[in-house]
Amino acid sequence: MARVFVAGASGAIGRPLTRMLIATGHDVTGSSRTATGANAIEAAGATSAIVDVLDAGSVLDAMRRARPDVVIYQVTDLATDPGQEISDEKLEANAHVREVGIGNVVAATADVRARRLIAQSIAWLSVAGAEPHTEDDPIAPPPPAVIPRTRQAVIDLERLTTTDARFDGLVLRYGRLYGPGTWRTEPDQPPTVHVDAAANAAVLAVERGEPGIYNIADDDGSVSIAKARRLLGWEPLDRRPG
């Protein structure tokens, strides 16, 4: 079993992920930006840390205390009230978290000599083409297209995670989430994935899989999940709620 640091442990994926990791026998430290989130992490049986991923010192201090073998990055800034649309400002804030937060987590992962970093991404950015899209299909449109900041932040997150030789970097490209704690109770526009199945993919990636990118989505024909099935042993119907 491993010591695992979950950045964003009080979020939609982080909550079931923390429970699943503990049930599997891992020693878990989870981070949240708030005391409320930290209390929820403690209630789940993990050690909590109040961390702002935009603060490099805060991230480094927390990870030095936790001494993780594996780091899982599940941080977003997309929380909204029920029924509220995600504004352009919220999307820009989330892009900022992806840009700065992953850089701070990458640096801390290397500093504590963790062996693996697993980071969440999204599975619906492939450039238009034949489906199902594989992980090798480009997500950056060819020049002279202007790449919006929200897309560039995803490109940069995936690059930083998978190209650092100091650890094994795995990116989980999630479909649009549905299920408890998300915006939807049922699948909507593909690609989609149940939140518990998304969390289970991260649990499997702690010990399985080679470095690289994995589509984590329902088997609806929009993206290929063959790689996740083959190397992670992941199935979209295996939700294993904690």
Side-chain angles (χ1 to χ4, degrees), residues 17 21 26 70-72 115-119 168-172 174 198-210 212 214 216 231-234:
L17 171 58
L21 287 168
H26 296 296
V70 177
V71 178
I72 305 179
R115 62 177 171 82
R116 177 163 287 208
L117 171 61
I118 303 160
D168 290 342
L170 286 76
V171 167
L172 305 182
Y174 292 131
N200 186 46
V203 174
L204 294 171
V206 169
E207 301 290 351
R208 302 181 188 179
E210 61 190 28
Y214 297 81
I216 304 297
L231 297 181
L232 298 180
W234 179 80

Side-chain angles (χ1 to χ4, degrees), residues 136-205:
D136 294 327
D137 289 344
I139 63 172
V146 175
I147 301 177
R149 182 187 182 190
T150 50
R151 181 182 289 261
Q152 186 63 53
V154 175
I155 294 168
D156 291 343
L157 178 147
E158 294 190 353
R159 174 181 55 80
L160 288 170
T161 302
T162 59
T163 60
D164 197 309
R166 295 173 292 181
F167 51 77
D168 290 342
L170 286 76
V171 167
L172 305 182
R173 286 181 178 168
Y174 292 131
R176 294 176 174 88
L177 297 176
Y178 64 96
T182 73
W183 295 297
R184 305 172 186 88
T185 58
E186 299 293 334
D188 191 4
Q189 180 183 357
T192 57
V193 66
H194 191 280
V195 64
D196 289 334
N200 186 46
V203 174
L204 294 171

Side-chain angles (χ1 to χ4, degrees), residues 88-114:
D88 290 342
E89 291 78 9
K90 201 69 172 174
L91 291 172
E92 286 289 321
N94 194 54
H96 182 61
V97 166
R98 283 195 174 117
E99 292 164 346
V100 179
I102 193 61
N104 291 338
V105 169
V106 163
T109 298
D111 180 271
V112 301
R113 299 185 179 181

